[in-house]
Amino acid sequence: MRFLPTAEQRAFALSLDALLTAAGTPSVVRSWSAGDHAPGRALWSRIAQTGVFALAVPEAYEGVGPLPVELTMAFVELGRHAVPGPVVETVLAAALLADVPEQARRLLPGLCSGSTMATVGAPYALDGDAADVVLALRDAQVWLAPGCRPGTRTSLDPARRLAVPLPGGEPLTGAAPAQALAWARLATAAQSLGVGLALLARTVAYVGRRMQFGVPIGAFQAVRHRLADTRIALDFARPLVFGAALTMAPADVAAAKVAAGEAAYAAARTALQLHGALGYTAEYDLSLWLTKARALRTAWGTPAECRAAVLSGADPRR
């Protein structure tokens, strides 16, 4: 089993990293949190042009996938840059629609191109006020909902606005939500890994310039040990995430989500402690990753739910 990315895969990740770095995502996240979706939609289109969303869509519907390994690499970068919007939910929507040919032909090309943004409600839909396509999971069945109720509420992350899908709509006969859940969990795990890596990098940079008693606090042994523990947790999660992308076995994906989610959450706790009072300041960019790490930890499967899936080895496709 090969865990090292190919030269082409590395080049893809580097190009996406360069695009997101140049885009200045913190300002995009703050606009999105305030309800201004224009900068986020512009960034969404640029991300789609790189082929990120096409990775989850079969070639029959103008995609290039499904390519879970490449998708995982892309979502690590999306997490590293705290990209807002229902990125995971769009991947989940693609997995659900791929089993329904009529709706797939109508909707999936738009997801690939970035002209369409999708979300999935179970029961809350992330960014339902911004999405063009809303799918609702009700009683193990998938519905193409007519939209979301007016008004939203925020989750732990202000950039993750939640809404309730409207009742009724069109049933998507043939869609398999249990099977598609693996795609949502994999994308969330990869996104969490990227968030954790960003938190670690920012904290390392901060402790290297924060002075106390005439020396950087990064020179203190207790600080180094805390950062080392964070790095080890992230390094442990990484092969689990990419191994799950290779197998797509539900138990493997659940294990990856637990490891990545817990590692990112631990990175957030470390970052908050070592930044001191500055870490609690909403105006400081670190907060954009702190809140996302906490929200992703329970998105599309709590740690307890994912551990249960690992222990049981249950395959939801049966």
Side-chain angles (χ1 to χ4, degrees):
M1 187 175 291
R2 180 181 174 86
F3 286 95
L4 293 176
T6 65
E8 183 178 0
Q9 289 170 334
R10 288 195 298 270
F12 170 61
L14 288 173
S15 66
L16 186 56
D17 174 56
L19 183 155
L20 296 172
T21 299
T25 52
S27 64
V28 176
V29 176
R30 294 189 186 283
S31 295
W32 192 273
S33 301
D36 179 7
H37 299 135
R41 291 301 294 252
L43 179 59
W44 186 280
S45 296
R46 295 179 65 189
I47 292 172
Q49 289 171 8
T50 69
V52 168
F53 300 120
L55 297 170
V57 176
E59 294 183 10
Y61 306 114
E62 301 185 18
V64 296
L67 296 174
V69 174
E70 286 77 3
L71 186 78
T72 297
M73 296 188 72
F75 269 75
V76 171
E77 297 305 320
L78 297 184
R80 196 195 301 270
H81 291 274
V83 172
V87 287
V88 169
E89 288 69 25
T90 291
V91 169
L92 175 56
L96 292 169
L97 290 167
D99 294 327
V100 190
E102 181 180 351
Q103 286 80 3
R105 286 190 294 269
R106 178 161 55 94
L107 298 174
L108 287 185
L111 297 187
C112 291
S113 67
S115 62
T116 301
M117 179 183 290
T119 190
V120 182
Y124 294 103
L126 178 64
D127 296 313
D129 56 333
D132 308 295
V133 174
V134 178
L135 302 184
L137 303 182
R138 306 177 189 136
D139 300 323
Q141 188 174 5
V142 185
W143 294 75
L144 181 59
C148 287
R149 292 176 183 169
T152 60
R153 68 185 187 95
T154 57
S155 70
L156 297 166
D157 178 2
R160 293 171 61 84
R161 301 165 63 83
L162 304 176
V164 179
L166 291 170
E170 177 184 356
L172 300 185
T173 304
Q179 181 176 350
L181 178 62
W183 283 91
R185 287 182 172 175
L186 177 66
T188 303
Q191 197 178 11
S192 296
L193 178 60
V195 169
L197 291 171
L199 285 165
L200 177 61
R202 285 175 172 269
T203 306
V204 169
Y206 177 76
V207 300
R209 62 177 182 266
R210 168 73 185 277
M211 305 295 291
Q212 193 170 22
F213 305 115
V215 296
I217 64 172
F220 301 150
Q221 190 176 51
V223 172
R224 291 184 174 187
H225 285 178
R226 190 68 187 265
L227 291 171
D229 289 343
T230 302
R231 178 60 185 268
I232 289 170
L234 291 168
D235 284 350
F236 178 77
R238 183 180 179 86
L240 289 180
V241 173
F242 282 93
L246 288 171
T247 68
M248 287 304 292
D252 292 346
V253 174
K257 187 181 183 304
V258 170
E262 297 295 68
Y265 185 55
R269 291 170 63 89
T270 296
L272 186 59
Q273 181 180 17
L274 297 185
H275 278 79
L278 184 62
Y280 289 92
T281 306
E283 291 76 14
Y284 190 56
D285 283 348
L286 183 76
S287 66
L288 306 180
W289 283 268
L290 290 174
T291 53
K292 191 170 293 293
R294 180 64 182 87
L296 291 176
R297 184 172 180 248
T298 56
W300 298 110
T302 65
E305 290 170 341
C306 289
R307 287 190 178 98
V310 174
L311 292 174
S312 67
D315 187 339
R317 292 173 294 185
R318 294 175 183 171

